């Protein structure tokens, strides 16, 4: 099973000391570094498909689409394999990895849980029973062209018809024409057939009326990277342990290409790894940029089941050793420049009681984390406010 590239924040370095002030991420003055030592898991659930015959190009809106192999903002594109990352388990030249559980997708679409595939991320879960979100939302009246964050990676145990996602949301448009892209780490047994943490994306261009799906369940996302570890559906490994002082993160960025308007999915390590993109042609309002960015978690469970865990499954009051977290949280502004978020430009959103899920954000958390927050919780019964 494939790897999403991770950055490990590990104990025992001497030159990268966290400041000692009392804030939510620091449980006692740890020392952390980034490391690029990776553990690769092979995944047989991918097919290598001709890049020009991949599912995305079946979308009528992409009939005349010319595949963009690299974003125009990419650096060092002369070394193409470097920009795609070291190929450990990948496809041959001219092919890309596509997650192949089409039979599971079709079964889910046609059974009584079909809403999981079409309405899975509602704009406001107050009107959608079973859905719960805790997020940090932008408040400035401006157009954004991307966002990024390091998402803490934790294994979770879920049942069929539940899911739990930790994501970056980009949104634009009025309620009836709602455009959205969401990407992050998630557990979704009905989608994948297991409870492994995986790189997961989702999009809609019409407020979920006719479009709206995960990954490549419906044609839209264009995969360009030949590595299976950088494909939607790849397994996130290794993951963090509750109580550990060493934490693994998946550092994910989504950025709009200023020239083409496409929204690129980037896995950030010591270099930028370009996975693929959601084409501009899919969208009406997002083609111009995003009016709202959200960072956080969302869960779903049918009415006869408890809400599943989110983040690490522990509440923020248990602090960094135990709680889910996002670090190095940034936005890309209307001028295509990257900035750390600021407390005065974001607000906390929740639609659930704080014993199920919660979010703590206090601002700057030191030179290693910068703008960061804790979120998540165990879920359970009666999570409505």
């Amino acid at each position: 099973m494939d790897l999403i590239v991770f950055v490990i924040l590990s104990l025992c370095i001497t030159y990268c000391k966290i400041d000692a002030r009392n804030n939510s991420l620091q449980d006692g003055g740890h020392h952390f570094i980034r490391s690029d030592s990776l553990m690769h898991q092979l995944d047989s659930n991918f097919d290598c498909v001709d890049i020009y015959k991949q599912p995305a190009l079946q979308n009528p809106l992409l009939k005349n689409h010319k595949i963009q192999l690299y974003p125009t903002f990419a650096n060092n594109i002369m070394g193409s394999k470097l920009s795609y990352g070291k190929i450990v388990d990948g496809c041959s030249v001219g092919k890309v990895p596509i997650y192949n559980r089409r039979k599971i997708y079709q079964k889910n679409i046609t059974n009584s849980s079909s809403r999981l595939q079409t309405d899975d991320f509602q704009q406001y879960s107050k009107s959608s029973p079973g859905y719960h979100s805790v997020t940090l939302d932008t408040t400035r009246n401006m157009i954004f062209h991307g966002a990024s964050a390091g998402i803490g990676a934790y294994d979770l145990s879920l049942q069929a018809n539940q899911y739990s996602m930790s994501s970056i949301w980009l949104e634009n448009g009025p309620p009836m024409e709602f455009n959205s892209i969401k990407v992050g780490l998630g557990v979704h047994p009905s989608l994948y057939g297991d409870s492994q943490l995986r790189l997961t994306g989702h999009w809609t261009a019409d407020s979920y009326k006719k479009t709206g799906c995960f990954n490549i369940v419906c044609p839209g996302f264009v995969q360009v990277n030949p590595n299976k570890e950088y494909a939607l559906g790849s397994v996130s490994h290794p993951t963090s342990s509750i109580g550990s002082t060493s934490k693994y993160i998946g550092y994910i960025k989504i950025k709009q290409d200023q020239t083409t308007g496409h929204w690129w999915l980037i896995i950030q390590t010591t270099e930028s790894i370009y996975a693929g993109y959601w084409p501009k042609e899919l969208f009406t309002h997002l083609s111009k940029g995003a009016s709202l960015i959200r960072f956080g978690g969302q869960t779903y469970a049918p009415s006869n089941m408890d809400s599943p865990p989110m983040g690490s499954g522990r509440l923020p009051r248990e602090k960094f050793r135990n709680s889910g977290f996002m670090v190095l949280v940034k936005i890309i502004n209307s001028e295509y420049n990257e900035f750390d978020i600021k407390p005065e430009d974001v607000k906390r959103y929740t639609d659930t009681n704080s014993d199920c899920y919660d979010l703590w954000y206090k601002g700057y958390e030191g030179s290693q984390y910068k703008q960061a927050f804790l979120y998540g919780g165990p879920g359970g019964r009666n999570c409505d406010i």
Side-chain angles (χ1 to χ4, degrees), residues 228-280:
K228 294 179 182 179
E229 60 261 41
Y230 307 127
L232 291 175
S234 59
V235 173
S236 306
H237 186 80
T239 53
S240 302
S241 299
I242 299 293
S244 172
T245 55
S246 297
K247 301 297 183 182
Y248 293 90
I249 65 172
Y251 193 88
I252 294 171
K253 180 187 293 185
I254 182 167
K255 182 176 181 179
Q256 189 172 32
D257 191 309
Q258 188 172 2
T259 302
T260 65
H262 305 327
W263 289 94
W264 277 85
L265 171 59
I266 304 162
I267 309 300
Q268 199 73 37
T269 61
T270 53
E271 60 182 338
S272 296
I273 308 297
Y274 307 108
Y277 60 91
W278 288 272
K280 173 184 178 180

Short mmCIF file of all heavy atoms in Angstrom, two decimals, residues 228-280:
data_model
loop_
_atom_site.label_atom_id
_atom_site.label_comp_id
_atom_site.label_asym_id
_atom_site.label_seq_id
_atom_site.Cartn_x
_atom_site.Cartn_y
_atom_site.Cartn_z
N LYS A 228 2.54 6.08 -7.23
CA LYS A 228 1.32 5.67 -6.54
C LYS A 228 1.20 6.32 -5.16
O LYS A 228 0.09 6.51 -4.66
CB LYS A 228 1.29 4.14 -6.41
CG LYS A 228 1.16 3.43 -7.74
CD LYS A 228 1.15 1.92 -7.58
CE LYS A 228 1.08 1.23 -8.94
NZ LYS A 228 1.10 -0.25 -8.81
N GLU A 229 2.34 6.66 -4.55
CA GLU A 229 2.27 7.27 -3.22
C GLU A 229 1.79 8.72 -3.26
O GLU A 229 1.55 9.32 -2.22
CB GLU A 229 3.61 7.19 -2.49
CG GLU A 229 4.76 7.86 -3.19
CD GLU A 229 5.62 6.87 -3.95
OE1 GLU A 229 5.05 5.96 -4.60
OE2 GLU A 229 6.85 7.01 -3.91
N TYR A 230 1.64 9.30 -4.46
CA TYR A 230 1.13 10.66 -4.60
C TYR A 230 -0.19 10.69 -5.37
O TYR A 230 -0.52 11.68 -6.01
CB TYR A 230 2.16 11.54 -5.30
CG TYR A 230 3.52 11.50 -4.67
CD1 TYR A 230 4.65 11.21 -5.42
CD2 TYR A 230 3.68 11.74 -3.30
CE1 TYR A 230 5.90 11.16 -4.84
CE2 TYR A 230 4.92 11.69 -2.71
CZ TYR A 230 6.03 11.40 -3.48
OH TYR A 230 7.28 11.35 -2.90
N ALA A 231 -0.94 9.60 -5.31
CA ALA A 231 -2.23 9.53 -5.99
C ALA A 231 -3.36 9.57 -4.98
O ALA A 231 -3.22 9.10 -3.84
CB ALA A 231 -2.32 8.25 -6.82
N LEU A 232 -4.49 10.15 -5.36
CA LEU A 232 -5.66 10.13 -4.49
C LEU A 232 -6.03 8.68 -4.19
O LEU A 232 -6.14 7.85 -5.08
CB LEU A 232 -6.83 10.84 -5.16
CG LEU A 232 -6.70 12.35 -5.33
CD1 LEU A 232 -7.88 12.92 -6.11
CD2 LEU A 232 -6.58 13.05 -3.97
N GLY A 233 -6.22 8.39 -2.91
CA GLY A 233 -6.50 7.04 -2.47
C GLY A 233 -5.31 6.33 -1.87
O GLY A 233 -5.45 5.25 -1.31
N SER A 234 -4.11 6.93 -1.95
CA SER A 234 -2.91 6.28 -1.41
C SER A 234 -2.95 6.29 0.12
O SER A 234 -3.48 7.20 0.75
CB SER A 234 -1.65 6.97 -1.91
OG SER A 234 -1.64 8.33 -1.55
N VAL A 235 -2.39 5.24 0.70
CA VAL A 235 -2.40 5.06 2.15
C VAL A 235 -1.40 5.99 2.82
O VAL A 235 -0.27 6.14 2.35
CB VAL A 235 -2.09 3.60 2.52
CG1 VAL A 235 -1.93 3.43 4.02
CG2 VAL A 235 -3.20 2.68 2.01
N SER A 236 -1.81 6.60 3.91
CA SER A 236 -0.96 7.48 4.69
C SER A 236 -0.21 6.67 5.74
O SER A 236 -0.83 6.08 6.63
CB SER A 236 -1.81 8.54 5.40
OG SER A 236 -2.62 9.23 4.50
N HIS A 237 1.10 6.62 5.62
CA HIS A 237 1.89 5.80 6.53
C HIS A 237 3.31 6.35 6.59
O HIS A 237 3.83 6.75 5.56
CB HIS A 237 1.92 4.35 6.01
CG HIS A 237 2.60 3.40 6.95
ND1 HIS A 237 1.98 2.88 8.06
CD2 HIS A 237 3.86 2.91 6.96
CE1 HIS A 237 2.83 2.08 8.70
NE2 HIS A 237 3.98 2.08 8.04
N PRO A 238 3.94 6.43 7.76
CA PRO A 238 3.45 6.01 9.08
C PRO A 238 2.48 7.02 9.68
O PRO A 238 2.30 8.11 9.15
CB PRO A 238 4.73 5.93 9.90
CG PRO A 238 5.64 6.94 9.27
CD PRO A 238 5.31 6.92 7.79
N THR A 239 1.85 6.65 10.78
CA THR A 239 0.93 7.52 11.47
C THR A 239 1.39 7.73 12.91
O THR A 239 2.24 7.01 13.42
CB THR A 239 -0.50 6.94 11.47
OG1 THR A 239 -0.47 5.60 11.97
CG2 THR A 239 -1.07 6.94 10.05
N SER A 240 0.81 8.73 13.55
CA SER A 240 1.21 9.10 14.91
C SER A 240 0.53 8.21 15.95
O SER A 240 -0.52 7.62 15.70
CB SER A 240 0.85 10.55 15.17
OG SER A 240 1.46 11.41 14.24
N SER A 241 1.12 8.18 17.13
CA SER A 241 0.56 7.44 18.25
C SER A 241 0.09 8.41 19.32
O SER A 241 0.72 9.44 19.57
CB SER A 241 1.62 6.51 18.85
OG SER A 241 2.06 5.56 17.91
N ILE A 242 -1.04 8.07 19.95
CA ILE A 242 -1.54 8.85 21.07
C ILE A 242 -0.48 8.86 22.17
O ILE A 242 0.09 7.84 22.54
CB ILE A 242 -2.85 8.26 21.62
CG1 ILE A 242 -3.95 8.27 20.54
CG2 ILE A 242 -3.31 9.01 22.86
CD1 ILE A 242 -4.41 9.63 20.14
N GLY A 243 -0.18 10.04 22.70
CA GLY A 243 0.77 10.17 23.79
C GLY A 243 2.21 10.31 23.38
O GLY A 243 3.06 10.62 24.21
N SER A 244 2.51 10.12 22.09
CA SER A 244 3.89 10.20 21.63
C SER A 244 4.34 11.64 21.50
O SER A 244 3.54 12.54 21.20
CB SER A 244 4.02 9.49 20.28
OG SER A 244 5.30 9.70 19.74
N THR A 245 5.63 11.88 21.69
CA THR A 245 6.19 13.21 21.47
C THR A 245 6.68 13.37 20.04
O THR A 245 7.13 14.46 19.66
CB THR A 245 7.35 13.48 22.43
OG1 THR A 245 8.32 12.45 22.30
CG2 THR A 245 6.84 13.56 23.86
N SER A 246 6.64 12.31 19.23
CA SER A 246 6.99 12.38 17.81
C SER A 246 5.71 12.26 17.00
O SER A 246 4.96 11.29 17.17
CB SER A 246 7.96 11.26 17.43
OG SER A 246 9.16 11.40 18.12
N LYS A 247 5.48 13.20 16.12
CA LYS A 247 4.23 13.22 15.36
C LYS A 247 4.51 13.28 13.87
O LYS A 247 5.41 13.98 13.41
CB LYS A 247 3.39 14.44 15.76
CG LYS A 247 3.02 14.50 17.24
CD LYS A 247 2.14 13.34 17.67
CE LYS A 247 1.74 13.48 19.13
NZ LYS A 247 0.93 12.33 19.59
N TYR A 248 3.72 12.53 13.11
CA TYR A 248 3.81 12.55 11.66
C TYR A 248 2.73 13.45 11.08
O TYR A 248 1.58 13.45 11.56
CB TYR A 248 3.62 11.14 11.10
CG TYR A 248 4.74 10.19 11.44
CD1 TYR A 248 4.69 9.43 12.60
CD2 TYR A 248 5.85 10.07 10.61
CE1 TYR A 248 5.71 8.56 12.93
CE2 TYR A 248 6.88 9.20 10.93
CZ TYR A 248 6.80 8.45 12.09
OH TYR A 248 7.82 7.60 12.40
N ILE A 249 3.10 14.21 10.05
CA ILE A 249 2.12 15.05 9.39
C ILE A 249 2.17 14.81 7.88
O ILE A 249 3.20 14.45 7.32
CB ILE A 249 2.33 16.55 9.68
CG1 ILE A 249 3.67 17.03 9.10
CG2 ILE A 249 2.23 16.85 11.15
CD1 ILE A 249 3.85 18.54 9.16
N GLY A 250 1.05 14.98 7.23
CA GLY A 250 0.99 15.08 5.78
C GLY A 250 0.87 16.55 5.43
O GLY A 250 -0.12 17.20 5.79
N TYR A 251 1.90 17.10 4.77
CA TYR A 251 1.87 18.53 4.45
C TYR A 251 1.29 18.70 3.05
O TYR A 251 1.90 18.30 2.05
CB TYR A 251 3.27 19.15 4.54
CG TYR A 251 3.23 20.65 4.52
CD1 TYR A 251 3.08 21.37 5.70
CD2 TYR A 251 3.29 21.35 3.33
CE1 TYR A 251 3.01 22.75 5.69
CE2 TYR A 251 3.22 22.73 3.31
CZ TYR A 251 3.09 23.43 4.49
OH TYR A 251 3.01 24.79 4.47
N ILE A 252 0.11 19.27 3.00
CA ILE A 252 -0.68 19.34 1.77
C ILE A 252 -0.93 20.79 1.39
O ILE A 252 -1.25 21.63 2.24
CB ILE A 252 -2.02 18.60 1.95
CG1 ILE A 252 -1.76 17.10 2.15
CG2 ILE A 252 -2.96 18.83 0.77
CD1 ILE A 252 -2.98 16.32 2.55
N LYS A 253 -0.77 21.06 0.11
CA LYS A 253 -1.05 22.40 -0.42
C LYS A 253 -1.96 22.26 -1.64
O LYS A 253 -1.83 21.33 -2.44
CB LYS A 253 0.25 23.10 -0.84
CG LYS A 253 0.06 24.50 -1.41
CD LYS A 253 1.36 25.07 -1.96
CE LYS A 253 2.38 25.33 -0.89
NZ LYS A 253 3.60 25.99 -1.42
N ILE A 254 -2.88 23.19 -1.78
CA ILE A 254 -3.67 23.30 -3.00
C ILE A 254 -3.53 24.74 -3.48
O ILE A 254 -3.72 25.69 -2.71
CB ILE A 254 -5.14 22.89 -2.80
CG1 ILE A 254 -5.90 22.99 -4.11
CG2 ILE A 254 -5.79 23.66 -1.69
CD1 ILE A 254 -7.26 22.33 -4.08
N LYS A 255 -3.12 24.89 -4.75
CA LYS A 255 -2.79 26.22 -5.27
C LYS A 255 -3.31 26.37 -6.69
O LYS A 255 -3.13 25.47 -7.53
CB LYS A 255 -1.27 26.43 -5.25
CG LYS A 255 -0.82 27.80 -5.73
CD LYS A 255 0.69 27.97 -5.58
CE LYS A 255 1.15 29.36 -6.03
NZ LYS A 255 2.61 29.54 -5.86
N GLN A 256 -3.92 27.50 -6.96
CA GLN A 256 -4.42 27.77 -8.30
C GLN A 256 -3.31 28.32 -9.19
O GLN A 256 -2.55 29.21 -8.78
CB GLN A 256 -5.58 28.77 -8.25
CG GLN A 256 -6.30 28.93 -9.59
CD GLN A 256 -7.56 29.76 -9.49
OE1 GLN A 256 -7.65 30.69 -8.68
NE2 GLN A 256 -8.54 29.45 -10.33
N ASP A 257 -3.22 27.77 -10.39
CA ASP A 257 -2.24 28.23 -11.37
C ASP A 257 -2.72 29.57 -11.93
O ASP A 257 -3.82 29.66 -12.49
CB ASP A 257 -2.09 27.20 -12.49
CG ASP A 257 -0.91 27.48 -13.39
OD1 ASP A 257 -0.80 28.62 -13.88
OD2 ASP A 257 -0.12 26.56 -13.64
N GLN A 258 -1.92 30.59 -11.78
CA GLN A 258 -2.32 31.93 -12.21
C GLN A 258 -2.54 32.01 -13.71
O GLN A 258 -3.35 32.80 -14.19
CB GLN A 258 -1.26 32.95 -11.78
CG GLN A 258 -1.66 34.39 -12.01
CD GLN A 258 -0.67 35.37 -11.40
OE1 GLN A 258 0.34 34.96 -10.82
NE2 GLN A 258 -0.97 36.66 -11.50
N THR A 259 -1.85 31.18 -14.48
CA THR A 259 -1.95 31.22 -15.94
C THR A 259 -3.11 30.39 -16.46
O THR A 259 -3.92 30.85 -17.27
CB THR A 259 -0.64 30.72 -16.58
OG1 THR A 259 0.43 31.54 -16.12
CG2 THR A 259 -0.73 30.77 -18.10
N THR A 260 -3.25 29.15 -15.97
CA THR A 260 -4.29 28.25 -16.50
C THR A 260 -5.57 28.25 -15.68
O THR A 260 -6.62 27.86 -16.18
CB THR A 260 -3.75 26.81 -16.56
OG1 THR A 260 -3.50 26.35 -15.22
CG2 THR A 260 -2.49 26.73 -17.39
N GLY A 261 -5.48 28.64 -14.41
CA GLY A 261 -6.65 28.60 -13.53
C GLY A 261 -6.91 27.26 -12.88
O GLY A 261 -7.84 27.12 -12.08
N HIS A 262 -6.10 26.22 -13.20
CA HIS A 262 -6.29 24.90 -12.61
C HIS A 262 -5.87 24.91 -11.14
O HIS A 262 -4.96 25.65 -10.73
CB HIS A 262 -5.49 23.84 -13.36
CG HIS A 262 -5.77 23.80 -14.83
ND1 HIS A 262 -7.01 24.09 -15.37
CD2 HIS A 262 -4.97 23.47 -15.89
CE1 HIS A 262 -6.96 23.95 -16.69
NE2 HIS A 262 -5.74 23.58 -17.02
N TRP A 263 -6.51 24.04 -10.34
CA TRP A 263 -6.20 23.94 -8.92
C TRP A 263 -5.31 22.72 -8.68
O TRP A 263 -5.74 21.58 -8.78
CB TRP A 263 -7.49 23.81 -8.11
CG TRP A 263 -8.30 25.07 -8.05
CD1 TRP A 263 -9.33 25.44 -8.87
CD2 TRP A 263 -8.13 26.13 -7.11
NE1 TRP A 263 -9.82 26.66 -8.50
CE2 TRP A 263 -9.11 27.12 -7.42
CE3 TRP A 263 -7.27 26.35 -6.04
CZ2 TRP A 263 -9.24 28.29 -6.69
CZ3 TRP A 263 -7.39 27.52 -5.31
CH2 TRP A 263 -8.36 28.48 -5.63
N TRP A 264 -4.04 22.97 -8.32
CA TRP A 264 -3.04 21.92 -8.19
C TRP A 264 -2.98 21.37 -6.77
O TRP A 264 -2.98 22.12 -5.79
CB TRP A 264 -1.66 22.46 -8.57
CG TRP A 264 -1.46 22.43 -10.05
CD1 TRP A 264 -1.83 23.38 -10.96
CD2 TRP A 264 -0.85 21.37 -10.80
NE1 TRP A 264 -1.49 22.98 -12.23
CE2 TRP A 264 -0.89 21.75 -12.17
CE3 TRP A 264 -0.29 20.14 -10.45
CZ2 TRP A 264 -0.38 20.93 -13.17
CZ3 TRP A 264 0.23 19.33 -11.45
CH2 TRP A 264 0.17 19.73 -12.80
N LEU A 265 -2.91 20.04 -6.68
CA LEU A 265 -2.67 19.34 -5.42
C LEU A 265 -1.17 19.08 -5.31
O LEU A 265 -0.57 18.44 -6.18
CB LEU A 265 -3.44 18.02 -5.39
CG LEU A 265 -3.12 17.07 -4.22
CD1 LEU A 265 -3.39 17.74 -2.88
CD2 LEU A 265 -3.93 15.78 -4.36
N ILE A 266 -0.57 19.57 -4.21
CA ILE A 266 0.87 19.50 -4.01
C ILE A 266 1.16 18.85 -2.67
O ILE A 266 0.58 19.22 -1.65
CB ILE A 266 1.49 20.91 -4.05
CG1 ILE A 266 1.13 21.62 -5.37
CG2 ILE A 266 3.00 20.85 -3.87
CD1 ILE A 266 1.33 23.12 -5.33
N ILE A 267 2.02 17.83 -2.68
CA ILE A 267 2.51 17.23 -1.45
C ILE A 267 3.86 17.86 -1.16
O ILE A 267 4.79 17.76 -1.96
CB ILE A 267 2.65 15.71 -1.58
CG1 ILE A 267 1.36 15.09 -2.14
CG2 ILE A 267 3.03 15.10 -0.24
CD1 ILE A 267 0.14 15.32 -1.31
N GLN A 268 3.96 18.51 -0.01
CA GLN A 268 5.15 19.29 0.29
C GLN A 268 6.11 18.48 1.15
O GLN A 268 5.77 18.01 2.23
CB GLN A 268 4.75 20.57 1.03
CG GLN A 268 5.80 21.65 0.99
CD GLN A 268 5.91 22.31 -0.38
OE1 GLN A 268 4.92 22.51 -1.05
NE2 GLN A 268 7.14 22.64 -0.77
N THR A 269 7.34 18.27 0.65
CA THR A 269 8.40 17.66 1.44
C THR A 269 9.57 18.64 1.41
O THR A 269 9.37 19.83 1.57
CB THR A 269 8.80 16.29 0.85
OG1 THR A 269 9.29 16.47 -0.49
CG2 THR A 269 7.60 15.35 0.81
N THR A 270 10.78 18.17 1.18
CA THR A 270 11.88 19.09 0.96
C THR A 270 11.76 19.75 -0.40
O THR A 270 12.46 20.71 -0.71
CB THR A 270 13.22 18.35 1.05
OG1 THR A 270 13.20 17.23 0.17
CG2 THR A 270 13.46 17.86 2.47
N GLU A 271 10.88 19.21 -1.23
CA GLU A 271 10.54 19.81 -2.52
C GLU A 271 9.03 19.73 -2.69
O GLU A 271 8.33 19.08 -1.92
CB GLU A 271 11.24 19.06 -3.66
CG GLU A 271 10.88 17.59 -3.73
CD GLU A 271 11.61 16.85 -4.84
OE1 GLU A 271 12.05 17.52 -5.79
OE2 GLU A 271 11.73 15.62 -4.75
N SER A 272 8.52 20.39 -3.70
CA SER A 272 7.09 20.36 -4.00
C SER A 272 6.81 19.21 -4.97
O SER A 272 7.36 19.19 -6.07
CB SER A 272 6.63 21.69 -4.61
OG SER A 272 6.80 22.74 -3.68
N ILE A 273 5.96 18.28 -4.55
CA ILE A 273 5.60 17.14 -5.38
C ILE A 273 4.23 17.41 -5.99
O ILE A 273 3.24 17.56 -5.27
CB ILE A 273 5.56 15.84 -4.56
CG1 ILE A 273 6.86 15.65 -3.78
CG2 ILE A 273 5.28 14.66 -5.47
CD1 ILE A 273 8.09 15.50 -4.63
N TYR A 274 4.15 17.47 -7.32
CA TYR A 274 2.92 17.82 -8.00
C TYR A 274 2.14 16.55 -8.35
O TYR A 274 2.56 15.75 -9.18
CB TYR A 274 3.24 18.63 -9.26
CG TYR A 274 4.10 19.82 -8.95
CD1 TYR A 274 5.44 19.85 -9.34
CD2 TYR A 274 3.61 20.88 -8.20
CE1 TYR A 274 6.25 20.92 -9.01
CE2 TYR A 274 4.41 21.96 -7.87
CZ TYR A 274 5.74 21.98 -8.28
OH TYR A 274 6.54 23.03 -7.94
N ALA A 275 1.01 16.35 -7.67
CA ALA A 275 0.23 15.13 -7.85
C ALA A 275 -0.68 15.22 -9.07
O ALA A 275 -0.78 14.29 -9.87
CB ALA A 275 -0.61 14.86 -6.60
N GLY A 276 -1.38 16.34 -9.21
CA GLY A 276 -2.34 16.52 -10.29
C GLY A 276 -3.18 17.74 -10.00
O GLY A 276 -2.84 18.55 -9.13
N TYR A 277 -4.32 17.87 -10.67
CA TYR A 277 -5.10 19.10 -10.51
C TYR A 277 -6.57 18.89 -10.86
O TYR A 277 -6.94 17.96 -11.58
CB TYR A 277 -4.52 20.21 -11.38
CG TYR A 277 -4.50 19.91 -12.88
CD1 TYR A 277 -5.56 20.26 -13.71
CD2 TYR A 277 -3.40 19.26 -13.46
CE1 TYR A 277 -5.53 19.98 -15.07
CE2 TYR A 277 -3.36 18.98 -14.81
CZ TYR A 277 -4.43 19.34 -15.62
OH TYR A 277 -4.40 19.06 -16.96
N TRP A 278 -7.39 19.79 -10.32
CA TRP A 278 -8.79 19.91 -10.71
C TRP A 278 -8.86 21.02 -11.76
O TRP A 278 -8.57 22.19 -11.47
CB TRP A 278 -9.66 20.27 -9.51
CG TRP A 278 -9.84 19.15 -8.55
CD1 TRP A 278 -10.81 18.18 -8.57
CD2 TRP A 278 -9.04 18.86 -7.39
NE1 TRP A 278 -10.66 17.31 -7.51
CE2 TRP A 278 -9.58 17.71 -6.78
CE3 TRP A 278 -7.91 19.46 -6.82
CZ2 TRP A 278 -9.04 17.15 -5.61
CZ3 TRP A 278 -7.35 18.91 -5.67
CH2 TRP A 278 -7.92 17.77 -5.09
N PRO A 279 -9.23 20.71 -13.00
CA PRO A 279 -9.19 21.72 -14.07
C PRO A 279 -10.17 22.87 -13.83
O PRO A 279 -11.26 22.69 -13.27
CB PRO A 279 -9.60 20.92 -15.32
CG PRO A 279 -9.28 19.50 -14.98
CD PRO A 279 -9.55 19.37 -13.52
N LYS A 280 -9.78 24.03 -14.29
CA LYS A 280 -10.61 25.22 -14.21
C LYS A 280 -11.97 25.00 -14.86
O LYS A 280 -13.00 25.52 -14.40
CB LYS A 280 -9.89 26.39 -14.88
CG LYS A 280 -10.69 27.66 -15.03
CD LYS A 280 -9.90 28.71 -15.81
CE LYS A 280 -10.73 29.97 -16.02
NZ LYS A 280 -9.97 31.00 -16.78
#
